[in-house]
Amino acid sequence: MRANQRITELAGLRGVHSAFQWLHLQEQRLLAWQMEMLRIPAPPYKEEHRAAWVRDRFVELGLEQVQIDAEGNVLGELPGEVRNGPVTMLSAHLDTIFPDEMLPEPRLEEGRVYAPGAADNVAGLTGLLAVAAAMKAAQLVPAHTILFAANVGEEAEGNLRGMRHLFFRSEYAGRIRSTICLEGAGTENVVVGAIGSRRLQATITGPGGHSWTEAGAPNPIVVLSKAIAAMERIKLPRQPRTTWNIGRIEGGMSVTSVPERASCLIDLRSVDMDQLISLEVQVHRALEDAVLEANDDAGDRRLSLHVATIGDRPAGTLSTEAALLETIHAVDRHLRLRTELRIGSTDANVPLALGREAIAVGAGGIAGGIHTHSEWFDPAGRELALRRVLLILLDAAR
């Protein structure tokens, strides 16, 4: 059966109409969930309190096999007619970029939520609970089991550890056939390409000393600056798009000291793994050459270089022939939405790099100030986006 016909028939089912009706009537419940989650800090590696809250909601909603796995992901199943076969996963990440002490009380003003993490990704988590609740209320039974996952470690230092666990070490690793990640706000966007990244911490150390008596000693800050200037001369391709950035520089003690240490954080990105590897090699060479040049005349006052990998995200692309992509286009035609295909760095990176079918989509509403203290979320249009997610999910689990 063609995708357009499948979606038309699916949308006409009584159970699906009941699920749509639940979404239409329960916006106040969704806002309440959102406000509760925003009061629970969840920086990378400290998601356990928010995870416990989500686990309790999974139990209340009646999902089965509810658990917090060894990595901290919250999992729950909606069993399908085929119980032990492949599963379709709907996920949303638990973590935010904000440390515990940076969480002010969330505010709800004129229907808009103001709080760090309100959109990224508490909006996604709210959508995850909403779809599970709507399906349970409508007593929908998919053909194949749906795995609901509130996963850890999507942001920054988390390095996709939750998704890596699910696809490499969990009991579901070989069973996940397709993945739909809920990421922030939006209704028409679909991430189908995974931006690969390498995140490095480069540290140069030396003997240091007093700025007068040790004048001429190799200066880690100066040498690091020369390396960064050399990186600026690296020629990057326009296609496939490849970028680099220095996000932070640290070092030194005072204006009268030759520093003993200088370090920086480097973000390398590309949609093509070969280009990403090439860029990483050139960045290493720039750092090594700068240190070698400084050590040529340093005598016994030599500098040392250490480069640590602090993040590694694989690249990948959803095939244009993927069944999941066909489903998305059919659902969007049915709902009269414009499909906006995008690339991004999301939880979908892991399955896409493995050649699995995966996408990341918004959970509805509009948002601004992402990753700042001024982040806000407006749920206007959330219902339509969640109808979209529900239809994609049901067809993927057919």
Side-chain angles (χ1 to χ4, degrees):
M1 186 185 302
R2 294 180 61 83
N4 291 342
Q5 183 182 348
R6 284 201 317 272
I7 298 304
T8 299
E9 293 185 4
L10 185 61
L13 295 176
R14 180 177 299 177
V16 173
H17 275 282
S18 295
F20 286 171
Q21 183 71 0
W22 190 96
L23 293 171
H24 179 67
L25 296 174
Q26 298 298 325
E27 178 56 37
Q28 290 306 307
R29 180 184 295 195
L30 303 193
L31 278 174
W33 282 339
Q34 203 160 354
M35 297 295 282
E36 284 188 54
M37 282 188 280
L38 284 167
R39 295 186 179 98
I40 307 172
Y45 295 96
K46 295 182 180 179
E47 303 98 334
E48 62 272 11
H49 296 300
R50 187 177 284 178
W53 187 93
V54 173
R55 176 200 58 202
D56 293 345
R57 303 293 82 73
F58 277 8
V59 172
E60 287 177 5
L61 294 177
L63 297 182
E64 299 185 15
Q65 305 297 323
V66 175
Q67 61 174 298
I68 297 179
D69 69 17
E71 195 63 49
N73 302 310
V74 188
L75 308 176
E77 292 184 9
L78 182 62
E81 296 170 0
V82 179
R83 294 252 176 166
N84 297 317
V87 301
T88 297
M89 181 166 68
L90 182 68
S91 74
H93 66 86
L94 286 159
D95 56 324
T96 69
I97 67 162
F98 303 98
D100 298 8
E101 62 270 17
M102 289 189 177
L103 281 180
E105 179 69 13
R107 305 187 334 265
L108 181 60
E109 296 180 4
E110 298 181 352
R112 179 177 284 189
V113 180
Y114 294 86
D120 186 13
N121 189 38
V122 174
L125 289 167
T126 303
L128 182 75
L129 292 174
V131 172
M135 293 186 71
K136 289 296 295 183
Q139 299 181 348
L140 286 171
V141 179
H144 292 275
T145 294
I146 294 173
L147 176 65
F148 291 88
N151 61 281
V152 297
E154 193 275 343
E155 297 286 6
E157 301 96 327
N159 204 31
L160 306 182
R161 64 190 178 91
M163 277 291 168
R164 292 180 196 275
H165 180 83
L166 285 167
F167 280 92
F168 290 101
R169 297 184 296 278
S170 79
E171 62 188 283
Y172 296 99
R175 296 178 59 198
I176 303 172
R177 179 174 62 185
S178 54
T179 302
I180 301 159
C181 305
L182 298 181
E183 181 69 36
T187 300
E188 298 178 324
N189 54 303
V190 185
V191 174
V192 295
I195 301 172
S197 65
R198 292 276 201 279
R199 287 154 186 177
L200 310 174
Q201 181 176 43
T203 304
I204 299 174
T205 56
H210 192 280
S211 62
W212 176 260
T213 59
E214 299 298 329
N219 187 314
I221 290 178
V222 172
V223 175
L224 182 60
S225 299
K226 289 181 178 179
I228 293 171
M231 293 178 208
E232 183 67 25
R233 295 191 290 271
I234 295 173
K235 292 184 178 180
L236 300 176
R238 291 181 179 272
Q239 293 296 333
R241 190 179 178 201
T242 304
T243 66
W244 71 275
N245 179 62
I246 303 292
R248 188 171 71 195
I249 297 178
E250 297 177 314
M253 291 174 52
S254 75
V255 69
T256 59
S257 300
V258 177
E260 296 177 81
R261 177 183 177 278
S263 70
C264 68
L265 299 182
I266 310 171
D267 179 59
L268 314 176
R269 299 190 184 214
S270 181
V271 295
D272 181 87
M273 286 304 297
D274 289 338
Q275 287 294 337
L276 184 61
I277 293 168
S278 173
L279 176 59
E280 184 176 9
V281 168
Q282 293 177 80
V283 166
H284 274 268
R285 184 177 299 129
L287 290 161
E288 291 163 0
D289 287 350
V291 171
L292 287 171
E293 181 182 352
N295 284 340
D296 279 346
D297 300 317
D300 59 355
R301 301 182 297 178
R302 300 176 68 80
L303 298 178
S304 298
L305 170 67
H306 177 69
V307 182
T309 300
I310 59 173
D312 182 4
R313 297 189 176 206
T317 304
L318 182 66
S319 168
T320 56
E321 304 299 320
L324 188 56
L325 188 58
E326 182 184 45
T327 292
I328 291 161
H329 284 303
V331 169
D332 285 355
R333 278 191 290 267
H334 179 80
L335 296 175
R336 298 181 181 178
L337 295 172
R338 180 184 60 194
T339 307
E340 296 181 2
L341 300 182
R342 298 181 180 178
I343 60 173
S345 181
T346 69
D347 277 320
N349 281 44
V350 173
L352 284 173
L354 291 172
R356 308 274 188 97
E357 295 198 2
I359 56 169
V361 296
I366 55 177
I370 305 301
H371 283 200
T372 74
H373 297 290
S374 303
E375 188 167 339
W376 58 267
F377 173 81
D378 187 328
R382 171 151 55 189
E383 180 187 338
L384 178 59
L386 294 181
R387 287 188 179 200
R388 181 197 198 203
V389 172
L390 180 63
L391 289 174
I392 293 170
L393 183 63
L394 285 171
D395 192 58
R398 63 184 181 273

